[in-house]
Structures are given as C-alpha cells and as structure tokens.
C-alpha cells in the first residue's frame, strides 16, 4: 500500500535507520507493549472515562474526551486523508516490522496525537501526574519511530496537534462551566 505523498526529508530515514540499530529482543518487546497502550486510543479514552466517574476529576475526563474527539476528526479524518502520506514501512519494505503494518496514512501520528491530548489534559489538571503522562506520551511517540511505522515529522505533527487539542479540550470544557453544572454534581 502506498499513499499519494511519498515526500519525506532525507534526514528522516537517517533517524529511522539509526533507531533500527537500537533493536534488541527485550527492547523490541517493551516498544511493542508501549505502542499497544495507544492502539485505538484505548488507554487514554479509558482514563478519560474513568476520570468522568469522580466529581474531583470529572472536568479532566471531559477535557480528555473532548480533546480526543477534536483529534480524531482533525487528525484521523481530515489530515491523514488530506496528506495521504506513505508510511516508512510502505516505502522501505526490507525493514522487519514487529507490529501489524498499519493500513491508514502516516501524517500525523495518531498514537502520538491521542497520547499528547490526554497527557496535556492531565498536566493541566495536576502537574505531578501530568509529568508522568507526558513522559509516557513521549515514549509512545518514540516507539512509533522505533517500530518503523512513522516518520519523525509524523510524530512532530501529532505532538503539536495533540498539545493544541489538549489545551482546546480543556478550554472548551471550562468555558462551558456556567452551563455545565452536571460536570460538578455527584453521580
């Protein structure tokens, strides 16, 4: 499968090739596990739903879910199809792939996008937990390059859009505060 846009900067394959030299059996297993945490956004969506269950974190949960909805529309439905960018594993098929080869386009990285949306929302709510969430988001982003399914600029695009959406989701939920008393009530 190939996208209509095979464009990449030459340094991007240099970075990916360097990362291929880091492969070790244990690290391979760790990276496959780490990347699986963001498959379909399950971890972050699950955390958002969990946070909705408690009055103290309800706005955080709502912020996460709103930001992820924004990211799904902007990243997965619009930008991926607009850019139709090929993945590195589609262009260099001689590199062993440790995960199923993704069938959707490459830009922006959806794993990175959803991870930074969730992590930024957590950061805005609680800096201590937010720092851990941002570290996990960064590790997930790196795993996508390690596994040879995204270019560095795919990661950068997902990171930037994820930060913007994380802040936007929080802003939208907090702007709705006067009309959103339901978020402040006990369930």
């Amino acid at each position: 499968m190939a996208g209509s846009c095979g464009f990449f900067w030459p340094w991007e394959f240099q970075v990916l090739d360097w990362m291929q030299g880091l492969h070790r059996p244990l690290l391979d297993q760790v990276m496959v596990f780490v990347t699986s945490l963001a498959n379909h956004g399950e971890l972050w969506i699950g955390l958002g739903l969990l946070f909705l269950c408690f009055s103290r974190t309800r706005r955080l949960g709502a912020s996460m879910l709103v930001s992820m909805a924004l990211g799904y529309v902007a990243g997965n439905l619009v930008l991926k199809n607009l850019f139709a960018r090929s993945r590195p594993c589609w262009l260099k098929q001689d590199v062993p792939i440790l995960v199923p080869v993704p069938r959707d386009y490459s830009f922006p990285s959806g794993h990175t996008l959803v991870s930074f949306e969730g992590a930024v929302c957590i950061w805005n709510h609680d800096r201590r937990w937010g720092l851990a969430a941002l570290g996990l988001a960064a590790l997930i982003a790196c795993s996508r390059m390690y596994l040879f399914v995204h270019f560095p600029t795919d990661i950068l695009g997902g990171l930037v859009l994820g930060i913007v959406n994380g802040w936007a989701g929080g802003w939208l939920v907090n702007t709705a505060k006067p009309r959103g008393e339901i978020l402040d009530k006990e369930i």
Side-chain angles (χ1 to χ4, degrees), residues 1-6 75-91 101-111 144 149-151 154:
M1 174 183 263
S4 62
C5 180
N76 289 39
L77 298 181
V78 176
L79 292 176
K80 279 188 184 274
N81 292 307
L82 180 67
F83 286 95
R85 187 178 197 198
S86 296
R87 290 178 178 269
C89 58
W90 297 352
L91 299 173
V101 175
R103 304 187 82 181
D104 62 339
Y105 295 118
S106 192
F107 182 86
S109 165
H111 281 68
R144 302 306 286 166
V149 293
H150 278 293
F151 288 106
D154 300 334

Side-chain angles (χ1 to χ4, degrees), residues 52 57-68 70 121 125 165-184:
L52 277 178
T57 57
R58 194 161 296 131
R59 287 191 178 280
L60 167 58
S63 297
M64 288 177 72
L65 296 175
V66 167
S67 68
M68 288 183 265
L70 292 171
C121 288
H125 180 78
N165 287 345
W167 285 98
W171 180 83
L172 288 168
V173 167
N174 288 323
T175 299
K177 189 173 185 173
R179 297 177 301 278
E181 289 84 17
I182 193 167
L183 292 175
D184 298 322

Side-chain angles (χ1 to χ4, degrees), residues 6 12 45 60 68 74 103 106 124 127 143:
E12 293 192 86
I45 293 168
L60 167 58
M68 288 183 265
R103 304 187 82 181
S106 192
N124 288 335
R127 297 288 196 257
S143 77

Side-chain angles (χ1 to χ4, degrees), residues 4 15 31 39 46 55 61 65 96-97 102 123 152 168-169 174 177 180:
S4 62
V15 168
M31 290 302 204
N39 286 351
S55 60
L65 296 175
I97 303 299
W123 169 265
N174 288 323
K177 189 173 185 173

Side-chain angles (χ1 to χ4, degrees), residues 9-20:
W9 299 97
W11 62 267
E12 293 192 86
F13 266 123
Q14 292 172 345
V15 168
L16 295 178
D17 290 341
W18 174 80
M19 291 186 90
Q20 296 314 294

